Amino acid sequence: MGRVPNPLPLGHRERARLSPVTALGTGQLRRFRDRDVIVRQGSRPEVLFIVEEGVVALATCTPTGQRCVIDLLGPGDPFNEGAIAMAASDAEGLEARAVGSCAVLAIPRPSLEARLRDPLAAWLAASMASRLAEAQRALARSLSLGARERTLELLRTLAGRWGRPSPDGLVVDVPLTQDDMAAMLGLARESVNRALRALHRTGAVRRSGRSYVLASGSSSEV
């Protein structure tokens, strides 16, 4: 398996006491055996899960089949947080797999929406879930992709939020320098420069003034 980040200082028992499972009074308890897949990578997040017993590994798989573990979760830890979003999400989620036998509470989106009736609470929950999902995707990129693929994935993510359609593709209306991109990707500026040149040669990305333009179909492998 890939490198696993150090767990938070808070222990499993302490996190279990903080779990809202008892207060929620909703959801279905599901049990899984060792290595069972709970959530498949890329599936739509329609259910929020909370670990009740055991350990769950969050991971991403590269196009070449390499599996990189992003985090290990224990009792009281939620995952598949995209289900909290106020609208259905098409974002690609991480794989969640049992490490040993485990039990998780499954709470479907309608039950969550019923408990987030306050508009501000719903907006904050959806915003935090979105930011967490992007942080997990960024970590997955850094663990599993090369410089060119990481650069393209960053531009795709930025286009999803700030993209403007044009005849040539999606214009990323954020005036990023190569230094900015290098800092966001944890790469040297020279590596980003080489990656952008390679993407330009394939026709996936081009520069237009201070913006980058993603050609139609640049979401496919390059």
Side-chain angles (χ1 to χ4, degrees):
M1 294 196 301
R3 178 179 176 273
V4 179
N6 291 330
L8 295 173
L10 195 63
H12 289 327
R13 292 179 181 176
E14 288 78 6
R15 279 183 286 180
R17 284 198 293 268
L18 293 175
S19 171
V21 172
T22 302
L24 283 170
T26 187
Q28 178 185 25
L29 193 66
R30 300 181 184 175
R31 296 190 177 275
F32 295 89
R33 295 172 296 182
D34 184 33
R35 306 301 163 183
D36 280 352
V37 175
I38 304 170
V39 177
R40 296 192 180 279
Q41 181 173 334
S43 61
R44 290 166 61 91
E46 298 290 346
V47 178
L48 174 71
F49 295 97
I50 301 175
V51 182
E52 279 283 88
E53 302 171 8
V55 178
V56 172
L58 295 183
T60 183
C61 293
T62 69
T64 60
Q66 179 187 1
R67 183 169 178 268
C68 299
V69 174
I70 304 301
D71 201 359
L72 290 180
L73 309 180
D77 287 332
F79 60 98
N80 214 38
E81 293 92 342
I84 298 174
M86 289 177 285
S89 173
D90 292 320
E92 295 183 359
L94 298 173
E95 175 197 86
R97 187 185 295 258
V99 180
S101 59
C102 73
V104 300
L105 186 77
I107 307 173
R109 182 193 298 273
S111 296
L112 294 169
E113 292 174 342
R115 293 178 177 273
L116 290 173
R117 292 190 179 94
D118 181 86
L120 178 59
W123 176 79
L124 285 173
S127 178
M128 288 187 288
S130 176
R131 291 177 66 181
L132 174 60
E134 176 48 38
Q136 290 175 333
R137 285 194 293 269
L139 178 56
R141 287 195 298 265
S142 68
L143 288 174
S144 62
L145 299 178
R148 184 177 67 166
E149 291 78 12
R150 286 161 67 179
T151 302
L152 180 59
E153 284 296 313
L154 173 62
L155 289 171
R156 288 175 58 198
T157 298
L158 295 173
R161 185 170 184 184
W162 287 286
R164 172 173 52 82
S166 77
D168 297 323
L170 276 177
V171 179
V172 182
D173 272 334
V174 181
L176 289 174
T177 66
Q178 291 185 11
D179 286 325
D180 293 330
M181 296 178 68
M184 295 176 74
L185 292 167
L187 295 171
R189 182 186 180 279
E190 293 76 12
S191 297
V192 172
N193 181 272
R194 287 194 295 270
L196 288 170
R197 290 203 306 268
L199 291 169
H200 185 270
R201 286 195 297 270
T202 66
V205 175
R206 70 176 182 84
R207 193 72 188 249
S208 177
R210 299 187 64 190
S211 301
Y212 289 94
V213 181
L214 273 72
S216 299
S218 63
S219 59
S220 60
E221 292 183 24
V222 295

